[in-house]
Amino acid sequence: MPDELNYVDWFRHSSPYINAHRGKTFVILIPGEAIECAHFSSIIHDLALLDSLGIRLVLVQGARPQINEILSSRRFKSQVEDDYRVTPQDQLLDVIQASAAVRVQLEAKLSMGLPNTPMDGARLKVCSGNYVIARPLGVVDGIDYGHTGEVRRIDSEAIFRLLEDDNMVLLPHLGFSPTGEVFNLKSEDVAIQAAIQLKADKLVIFSEEEGIFKSNGELYSELLTKDADVILKEKTLSSITHAALDACVQAVRQGVPRAHLISYNDNGGLLRELFSREGSGTMIDEDSYEKLRPAHIDDVGGMMALLTPLEEKGVLVRRSRELLENEVDRFIVIERDSAIVACAALYPFEQENAGELACLAVSPDYRGSNRGERLLKGIEQAAKAQNLSTLFLLTTRTAHWFIERGFSETTLASLPTKKQALYNYQRNSKIFSKIL
Ligand SMILES: CC(C)(COP(=O)(O)OP(=O)(O)OC[C@H]1O[C@@H](n2cnc3c(N)ncnc32)[C@H](O)[C@@H]1OP(=O)(O)O)[C@@H](O)C(=O)NCCC(=O)NCCS
């Protein structure tokens, strides 16, 4: 039973994230190491779940260990310079072979639909093709990189059409040039460029470690790019983690709102990172990932997820989706990692120079950290900007919170006439006001 309760609790708490992520585009880098890890099947199941929740997925596939293996079995020596593998003509076929084997393996797993697995009924459609246009890296400092290339362009238009048609898109680390040649690309470069050019909402990189750790061994759950720069300069990370963090920073600097580093060794890490408050890895972003801002129409789903439980408990008055959509301009919200975690509204009564504060709510997980206070300040500022001199509100259970913030109880007769007419005697709310 406790397990079941945990599950129900977890599922309920994940709903703001489910709403926030629906319809968003995530680029996910799956390195060759992940394909060989013990939890690879679970990673595939989790990707299928993201797909079912309406997230548009672009997977980027690496094949580093597989290429190493095939080259060493052929007794070829692989030369890596500045994190780029040199690809001479006589090794190209082996690189293609290793990469194709990984791609086929991924496509096969994504096609799984056995009734006794989480993939039952998933029916994923996966597309891959010549969507990465490449050019040769050329000769750098006297080293001829051969068939190693860099991304010239991502065919975003074609990829958008595929995503629009409910396909998952799989981009291998191989690119093609207009001259008809194949180039071996760094999978991180493909992932960065795909995330930037597709204007993805997130870049997620599976790496060997859970994320980036502080010197006391604690995991950073959020890391700002400027702090990531310092860590990268120290050069203390393993080469795989360094490359992954560097890719996250580059993507975020070039407009991808958030990048996440998670571990392929952590079973369920992807779901915890995307659908739980604590996350499982390190999120990299440019600024603090919590913003107080005016609400817009896309926030209504998240606002409903926040308000409905409070309406059901009778703490707030019921508002339909239509009403919220019509009145969304009156709301401010606090957005955290794409989820709406708090909101409040201001209803002005211009004739009386008064404003009503309504719908003040902070998600239970996020209470007690001044978010209520920040929203109240936001509403007070908005009211002042509209030249309103009084702020009032009706409450049944939160009287003391407002008293502690300068409100005092008042009478129904002091309210704007229109508001008096709407007063619900059965609800018997207390009325509070504050001079601004
Ligand atoms: C009221 C609410 C918005 C406060 O949000 P919050 O982000 O936790 O607020 P803050 O962090 O700024 O303030 C937390 C303080 O308020 C107190 N508090 C929370 N709910 C309270 C209540 N109903 N009555 C009195 N005090 C309350 C907390 O105990 C805490 O005080 P403490 O630090 O001294 O213990 C939030 O609890 C909520 O959403 N409640 C349900 C909806 C609601 O009642 N809205 C008001 C409708 S009019």
Side-chain angles (χ1 to χ4, degrees):
M1 197 64 173
D3 263 5
E4 237 170 76
L5 282 181
N6 281 345
Y7 167 74
V8 169
D9 199 44
W10 181 83
F11 202 33
R12 281 187 181 142
H13 283 95
S14 63
S15 67
Y17 299 99
I18 295 177
N19 285 316
H21 297 331
R22 188 177 302 122
K24 299 284 160 64
T25 304
F26 294 178
V27 172
I28 302 187
L29 171 58
I30 306 179
E33 290 83 358
I35 289 147
E36 294 184 348
C37 82
H39 303 303
F40 181 52
S41 291
S42 305
I43 292 177
I44 295 287
H45 298 157
D46 295 348
L47 292 172
L49 181 59
L50 299 193
D51 180 83
S52 328
L53 293 173
I55 297 169
R56 293 144 60 110
L57 293 179
V58 177
L59 309 181
V60 176
Q61 160 236 317
R64 233 164 258 150
Q66 293 80 1
I67 295 174
N68 285 343
E69 200 182 314
I70 200 164
L71 290 182
S72 71
S73 75
R74 312 270 244 128
R75 297 186 200 288
F76 274 129
K77 249 188 99 199
S78 197
Q79 185 186 355
V80 178
E81 296 290 340
D82 227 4
D83 273 348
Y84 283 87
R85 186 197 296 275
V86 176
T87 315
Q89 175 69 35
D90 60 352
Q91 294 183 11
L92 181 63
L93 266 182
D94 293 321
V95 169
I96 294 174
Q97 195 182 325
S99 173
V102 170
R103 197 197 77 214
V104 170
Q105 211 178 330
L106 260 169
E107 287 177 348
K109 289 270 186 199
L110 288 165
S111 311
M112 201 160 52
L114 293 178
N116 58 347
T117 71
M119 305 282 284
D120 182 23
R123 279 196 206 90
L124 299 177
K125 292 184 286 173
V126 189
C127 289
S128 53
N130 57 343
Y131 307 122
V132 181
I133 295 90
R135 62 174 164 233
L137 213 53
V139 180
V140 183
D141 292 333
I143 298 162
D144 184 353
Y145 281 79
H147 279 269
T148 297
E150 55 189 358
V151 179
R152 180 168 167 182
R153 193 167 62 80
I154 302 284
D155 189 348
S156 326
E157 239 173 73
I159 295 177
F160 281 138
R161 273 200 299 273
L162 293 167
L163 293 173
E164 210 47 53
D165 201 20
D166 291 335
N167 294 292
M168 209 184 258
V169 177
L170 176 58
L171 301 178
H173 63 94
L174 296 177
F176 307 95
S177 69
T179 55
E181 286 168 277
V182 187
F183 287 95
N184 181 17
L185 309 172
K186 217 163 111 172
S187 54
E188 286 86 359
D189 289 353
V190 178
I192 297 169
Q193 288 308 320
I196 296 168
Q197 294 185 32
L198 295 168
K199 298 193 171 39
D201 299 279
K202 281 185 193 298
L203 167 65
V204 180
I205 300 188
F206 277 102
S207 192
E208 58 184 355
E209 289 173 83
E210 272 91 351
I212 307 299
F213 291 89
K214 301 176 189 170
S215 50
N216 64 2
E218 216 181 288
L219 185 72
Y220 282 105
S221 56
E222 185 196 7
L223 189 60
L224 300 183
T225 46
K226 63 179 169 55
D227 300 323
D229 281 341
V230 177
I231 297 171
L232 287 170
K233 267 197 201 113
E234 287 168 359
K235 292 198 180 325
T236 47
L237 303 172
S238 72
S239 64
I240 295 182
T241 310
H242 186 100
L245 179 61
D246 191 37
C248 289
V249 171
Q250 286 189 51
V252 169
R253 287 253 156 81
Q254 290 177 75
V256 179
R258 286 168 194 99
H260 301 253
L261 267 187
I262 55 170
S263 169
Y264 47 76
N265 291 315
D266 178 8
N267 193 358
L270 178 62
L271 298 186
R272 279 191 292 119
E273 180 67 6
L274 296 176
F275 297 101
S276 74
R277 181 188 170 186
E278 315 76 40
S280 70
T282 299
M283 178 169 86
I284 293 95
D285 58 4
E286 191 80 273
D287 223 333
S288 178
Y289 61 113
E290 198 166 294
K291 288 190 193 81
L292 188 147
R293 58 165 176 79
H296 46 70
I297 194 81
D298 294 343
D299 299 326
V300 170
M303 283 158 55
M304 286 199 68
L306 174 67
L307 299 174
T308 309
L310 292 166
E311 293 170 0
E312 281 166 359
K313 281 193 206 146
V315 178
L316 296 178
V317 178
R318 214 170 264 281
R319 280 176 170 76
S320 66
R321 176 179 277 273
E322 291 69 31
L323 191 73
L324 280 177
E325 282 175 355
N326 285 335
E327 297 183 344
V328 74
D329 292 346
R330 305 199 187 284
F331 279 78
I332 54 174
V333 292
I334 296 183
E335 180 198 334
R336 187 184 158 100
D337 190 17
S338 309
I340 302 302
V341 298
C343 70
L346 173 67
Y347 290 85
F349 291 82
E350 278 106 4
Q351 270 181 343
E352 290 85 353
N353 261 352
E356 180 186 2
L357 162 66
C359 262
L360 172 71
V362 176
S363 163
D365 277 353
Y366 295 94
R367 287 186 191 159
S369 300
N370 279 329
R371 291 187 181 87
E373 184 98 34
R374 282 178 64 201
L375 283 171
L376 176 60
K377 286 214 173 93
I379 291 290
E380 287 180 0
Q381 272 171 10
K384 280 185 196 156
Q386 294 177 41
N387 290 325
L388 306 177
S389 54
T390 317
L391 192 63
F392 70 88
L393 61 99
L394 276 66
T395 184
T396 50
R397 303 202 201 157
T398 321
H400 280 226
W401 193 85
F402 291 107
I403 293 171
E404 286 170 24
R405 282 155 188 84
F407 285 81
S408 40
E409 194 165 354
T410 181
T411 57
L412 182 60
S414 70
L415 293 188
T417 341
K418 266 193 206 154
K419 187 68 200 175
Q420 287 183 33
L422 292 171
Y423 186 79
N424 178 343
Y425 285 91
Q426 228 174 357
R427 213 171 141 72
N428 198 17
S429 307
K430 290 185 188 305
I431 304 164
F432 286 84
S433 74
K434 179 180 186 177
I435 306 292
L436 296 170

